[in-house]
Amino acid sequence: MTIVHPIARAWITTGGTGAQNYDEFADDAEITAIIEANPHSALGIEMPHRAPGSLGKSFLDALPDAVARLAEAKADGSYTPAEQVVVLYRITAPGEETAYGLFAVVDTDQISTRADEPGLVIRNEDVFIAKVRERVALAEALGHLLSPVLLLQTGRGAELHEALAAATEGA
């Protein structure tokens, strides 16, 4: 049974769009400062109401700004289209262990909340309905799904990590 599939159409960064994940900040001012320092960061799309040009707007009111930022980034070559891909990625941060992963499409019936539940994929965090509504509104406005992160359930995590690291380095 195959539960992981290629992404039919993806937009892959050509560089310069990376930033810390939107939910890993101590306060909103930090998000604004990072976007201001790197206006091409995907963070300005993920958190449109925190971008310097959109401050004061609600998340929903700032969605057109996110749409415009993504369109501009695609037009200026910050992202390149790809078809039928599975994408390796690497996350680095000073003083932290490098993390590796894989972007792909996974059958939704395989998503669970704990290792002892059915499903081969475990969500990486609790789900909060207000955040889910924001993410759905963003996806609907953009016509794109942005960087969902799930953890693969495995009893061989170190082996998986090594395989992803080797594949990423080889790519």
Side-chain angles (χ1 to χ4, degrees), residues 66-107:
V67 171
R69 285 185 195 100
L70 179 59
E72 180 183 321
K74 288 165 58 177
D76 73 15
S78 294
Y79 295 94
T80 187
E83 308 269 338
Q84 297 300 322
V85 294
V86 174
V87 181
L88 294 163
Y89 67 87
R90 172 181 50 220
I91 300 172
T92 60
E96 293 187 27
E97 184 178 345
T98 300
Y100 297 92
L102 186 70
F103 286 117
V105 174
V106 177
D107 294 342

Side-chain angles (χ1 to χ4, degrees), residues 21-158:
N21 193 6
Y22 68 88
D23 63 354
E24 296 176 355
F25 293 95
D27 62 54
D28 295 338
E30 189 179 3
I31 296 170
T32 300
I34 287 177
I35 298 169
E36 189 170 39
N38 181 8
H40 291 288
S41 160
L43 195 55
I45 299 166
E46 291 268 4
M47 297 296 285
H49 61 311
R50 300 293 175 226
S54 303
L55 286 178
K57 294 181 181 180
S58 70
F59 183 88
L60 293 178
D61 289 342
L63 289 177
D65 300 338
V67 171
R69 285 185 195 100
L70 179 59
E72 180 183 321
K74 288 165 58 177
D76 73 15
S78 294
Y79 295 94
T80 187
E83 308 269 338
Q84 297 300 322
V85 294
V86 174
V87 181
L88 294 163
Y89 67 87
R90 172 181 50 220
I91 300 172
T92 60
E96 293 187 27
E97 184 178 345
T98 300
Y100 297 92
L102 186 70
F103 286 117
V105 174
V106 177
D107 294 342
T108 57
D109 66 353
Q110 292 299 312
I111 299 171
S112 66
T113 58
R114 295 186 319 270
D116 61 349
E117 291 180 353
L120 296 174
V121 177
I122 303 172
R123 288 194 323 256
N124 69 325
E125 58 188 18
D126 288 334
V127 175
F128 301 98
I129 193 64
K131 285 291 180 192
V132 170
R133 288 184 177 130
E134 280 186 357
R135 298 294 101 193
V136 168
L138 182 63
E140 287 175 347
L142 295 174
H144 292 67
L145 296 174
L146 302 177
S147 61
V149 178
L150 302 170
L151 299 178
L152 182 63
Q153 180 175 327
T154 177
R156 301 184 333 226

